Amino acid sequence: MSANLSAILYLVSGVLFILALRGLSSPETSRQGNLFGIIGMIIAVTVTFLSVGNFSSGFIYVLIFLAIGGSIGAFIAYRIPMTAMPELVAGFHSLVGLAAVFVAISAFINPSAFNLGTPGNIKLASLIEMAIGAAVGAITFSGSVIAFLKLQGIMSGAPITFKGQHLLNALLLLLIVILTIYLCSTQSANLFWILIAVSFLIGFLIIIPIGGADMPVVISMLNSYSGWAAAGIGFTLENTALIITGALVGSSGAILSYIMCKGMNRSFFNVILGGFGATDQKSQSQNKEQRPVKSGNADDAAFLMKNASSIIIVPGYGMAVAQAQHALREMVDTLKKNDIKVSYAIHPVAGRMPGHMNVLLAEANVPYDEVFELEEINNDFANADVAFVIGANDVTNPVAKTDPQSPIYGMPVLDVEKCKSVLFVKRSLSPGYAGIDNDLFYKENTLMLFADAKKMTEDITKNL
Amino acid sequence: MEIDPFIFRLSIFILSIFVGYYVVWSVTPSLHTPLMSVTNAISSVIIVGAIIAALSGSDGVVFSSSSIYGFLAIILAAVNIFGGFLVTQRMLAMYKKKKKDK
């Protein structure tokens, strides 16, 4: 296959990837978009086979390895529960990162296969691109592994911080730059290995100080990194499909990180430098005195709901943990039979990854046109009779609007307290992730329902 | 004077960042999770590099030091491609509109 034809076909597959993302602008077009993505991938892989043109025994092995990886991937995709989506995405990011590292290593050992020169005499530009691809890939890999372990609960979600952490990270970053410069002048294989090792280390160090509820930012950020790694390799291979895709994914992840940071009213650096819950203990420790709380049972909740004409449900990470989304849908079905208007309000950072709650509700067959984003629904709380908060906490805290001392001051929150009454499902009065007490617990119109989210929802349904 | 082909690739890269920027802002927030899984799947187009690396062995030597890394990368990327697209499809299939018949 001529080089020009394959370059054009790679461009076609890049355009198909753009259309794949474009399709996600609405749920109706999204499935078609995914199909475009699949076609783009098939074109890219086929063109590569044809342009290498080597159908010897190696080709058979490529197909075998492709089948092995493909079946593992398909198996995971069908078995994974929707609540585990953040872990899955983190795990997948790590694979892209590691693949980028492997491709860079292979290109370094055998540059002639990629038309990049000969070992020890690789073209300067290619060497820089290779080093960037390998370094970013390695950071993506080790960072994603840590994110995966934290999300999976194998590693504690608490931020791990130590003295001199930021200085160490800065020095290591500097070291990467110096190593790259030396690598370019000496072409030494040892330097290349050290560069990769240092990058693995820094990916690890960047993610350990970031706590559990900041995971939406971390996952988006790693998404972005995996794109930049792909783009770096794309430059090395002079492949347009990879360059376009890398740029798309890189900017997509960056935008998601931005949206998540905005949802928490925190700067990107503030999140990355880590240690949220640990730093702001002082402002709430003085008002530790016991304040009265009204608590109720499923019966009371069902009574309130039955007499309401409109209800807004506020789901959060707790709903995912308790796997309560199906029970919730059943409750809502019963409510709707009684002609009660029900809608869902989703905060941008609810859950552990962007859009996490939407997927869970979709899984439970909640129609997406009943689910609203913060800005769309926030004014409706004042007119609603009941707000049902299930598994959310900090995103409903009115302190974010009233107390400038509070660490979450300025964060956009759902105006739950404006509802006539608030039902708050929670296991205990313990503060949320940010480590601050939620004023909502103590409001006159709040009824606390202390129970497991799933159990409580089922009980309410029975009582309706 | 001739322009280095690198400049053309850089142009494609920069323009793609802008395309990505506008396309991703138009993605509805409720589909942000599928967005992440599909970007994950398409970034595995890095498999083209893995295939070139895997087929770089000379005649008769399928597994050389460089092609082994290629084969490993093929497995990793293939997990991602199949896993990423399929899980996206599974998620998107769940997004349904309210039924009109009440």
Side-chain angles (χ1 to χ4, degrees):
Chain A
M1 189 182 255
S2 88
N4 285 336
L5 181 59
S6 51
I8 288 172
L9 288 173
Y10 280 132
L11 182 64
V12 169
S13 98
V15 171
L16 285 168
F17 291 151
I18 295 174
L19 293 176
L21 299 193
R22 184 75 188 92
L24 290 171
S25 58
S26 97
E28 285 104 78
T29 53
S30 61
R31 281 161 277 237
Q32 190 193 25
N34 200 37
L35 193 65
F36 282 140
I38 295 172
I39 297 171
M41 188 61 74
I42 293 172
I43 293 178
V45 170
T46 314
V47 170
T48 312
F49 281 138
L50 294 176
S51 56
V52 175
N54 175 0
F55 294 102
S56 60
S57 50
F59 178 66
I60 309 294
Y61 282 102
V62 169
L63 291 184
I64 293 173
F65 282 85
L66 200 61
I68 295 174
S71 7
I72 299 173
F75 179 77
I76 298 173
Y78 280 112
R79 292 298 299 276
I80 192 91
M82 285 298 141
T83 41
M85 209 45 71
E87 293 94 302
L88 179 78
V89 169
F92 277 174
H93 288 157
S94 75
L95 300 184
V96 180
L98 196 57
V101 174
F102 284 161
V103 173
I105 292 175
S106 182
F108 186 80
I109 299 177
N110 187 1
S112 46
F114 297 86
N115 290 325
L116 305 176
T118 52
N121 192 19
I122 302 171
K123 282 186 274 181
L124 178 65
S126 309
L127 202 55
I128 299 173
E129 292 152 5
M130 223 183 271
I132 294 174
V136 181
I139 293 173
T140 312
F141 172 71
S142 55
S144 302
V145 168
I146 300 300
F148 175 82
L149 294 176
K150 285 194 170 198
L151 286 165
Q152 189 74 282
I154 299 172
M155 203 172 140
S156 151
I160 300 169
T161 46
F162 54 87
K163 233 182 158 181
Q165 193 163 28
H166 304 319
L167 186 67
L168 178 65
N169 289 349
L171 286 177
L172 285 174
L173 273 179
L174 191 67
L175 183 61
I176 288 183
V177 177
I178 295 170
L179 280 169
T180 310
I181 295 167
Y182 270 97
L183 177 69
C184 292
S185 59
T186 63
Q187 307 247 350
S188 147
N190 286 340
L191 285 176
F192 189 65
W193 294 114
I194 297 172
L195 175 74
I196 293 176
V198 174
S199 306
F200 277 132
L201 181 66
I202 201 161
F204 170 79
L205 287 171
I206 286 177
I207 307 301
I208 53 166
I210 304 180
D214 287 337
M215 278 302 154
V217 183
V218 171
I219 295 190
S220 315
M221 184 182 85
L222 292 166
N223 185 237
S224 181
Y225 285 0
S226 71
W228 304 132
I233 302 295
F235 276 103
T236 317
L237 305 182
E238 309 186 342
N239 183 308
T240 23
L242 252 177
I243 295 176
I244 295 176
T245 316
L248 287 179
V249 178
S251 53
S252 162
I255 291 173
L256 290 176
S257 319
Y258 170 77
I259 297 175
M260 293 302 111
C261 287
K262 215 170 132 238
M264 296 191 290
N265 189 37
R266 297 173 61 196
S267 75
F268 185 68
F269 284 102
N270 183 288
V271 175
I272 295 310
L273 296 179
F276 190 32
T279 47
D280 297 288
Q281 296 296 341
K282 12 183 184 13
S283 69
Q284 73 276 8
S285 49
Q286 63 264 32
N287 51 12
K288 263 279 183 275
E289 87 270 24
Q290 292 286 312
R291 286 195 277 170
V293 173
K294 274 196 286 184
S295 82
N297 56 27
D299 221 2
D300 309 327
F303 177 78
L304 271 169
M305 284 189 178
K306 245 190 283 185
N307 291 306
S309 61
S310 76
I311 299 179
I312 298 177
I313 293 171
V314 182
Y317 183 58
M319 181 188 81
V321 175
Q323 306 260 12
Q325 66 272 30
H326 297 281
L328 184 67
R329 214 280 325 284
E330 277 163 33
M331 185 186 90
V332 171
D333 282 351
T334 320
L335 289 169
K336 278 196 209 149
K337 269 183 213 143
N338 294 323
D339 276 334
I340 299 166
K341 186 176 164 270
V342 185
S343 35
Y344 299 81
I346 307 222
H347 191 274
V349 294
R352 285 291 184 266
M353 76 184 292
H356 193 186
M357 291 300 123
N358 303 79
V359 171
L360 294 182
L361 292 176
E363 188 201 12
N365 278 321
V366 172
Y368 60 79
D369 37 12
E370 288 175 12
V371 182
F372 299 94
E373 304 300 317
L374 176 96
E375 305 88 49
E376 296 171 326
I377 201 166
N378 226 4
N379 292 328
D380 297 349
F381 279 106
N383 304 319
D385 298 308
V386 175
F388 185 68
V389 183
I390 172 164
N393 186 358
D394 290 334
V395 298
T396 63
N397 196 339
V399 155
K401 288 175 286 190
T402 53
D403 178 11
Q405 303 288 294
S406 167
I408 62 165
Y409 181 71
M411 170 169 141
V413 286
L414 292 160
D415 295 334
V416 174
E417 78 281 358
K418 289 188 182 151
C419 265
K420 288 200 191 77
S421 47
V422 178
L423 295 169
F424 211 113
V425 186
K426 209 170 175 309
R427 283 165 178 281
S428 69
L429 269 187
S430 63
Y433 170 72
I436 30 175
D437 221 3
N438 193 340
D439 267 1
L440 197 59
F441 297 165
Y442 312 104
K443 294 265 185 209
E444 283 251 323
N445 56 351
T446 303
L447 190 68
M448 300 296 296
L449 307 167
F450 293 112
D452 173 72
K454 190 178 177 188
K455 176 112 201 340
M456 177 53 77
T457 318
E458 284 165 352
D459 287 348
I460 294 175
T461 314
K462 272 182 217 148
N463 282 306
L464 276 171
Chain B
M1 224 172 81
E2 214 177 322
I3 300 172
D4 190 324
F6 171 80
I7 303 300
F8 289 116
R9 286 191 282 278
L10 188 68
S11 320
I12 294 174
F13 179 64
I14 303 291
L15 292 176
S16 302
I17 292 179
F18 279 90
V19 171
Y21 179 84
Y22 289 106
V23 169
V24 171
W25 271 117
S26 75
V27 171
T28 166
S30 66
L31 290 177
H32 276 163
T33 300
L35 170 68
M36 297 198 91
S37 62
V38 84
T39 49
N40 191 63
I42 64 173
S43 58
S44 308
V45 71
I46 200 160
I47 198 166
V48 303
I51 293 172
I52 298 174
L55 293 176
S56 64
S58 49
D59 294 329
V61 191
V62 176
F63 296 103
S64 67
S65 59
S66 72
S67 74
I68 284 176
Y69 285 107
F71 282 112
L72 290 174
I74 286 179
I75 296 188
L76 298 176
V79 171
N80 251 321
I81 293 174
F82 282 77
F85 280 124
L86 289 174
V87 90
T88 310
Q89 197 157 0
R90 210 182 122 199
M91 277 191 273
L92 293 177
M94 299 184 312
Y95 282 83
K96 292 186 198 86
K97 239 187 166 150
K98 192 156 35 183
K99 285 195 196 79
K100 291 249 163 66
D101 48 7
K102 269 208 123 178

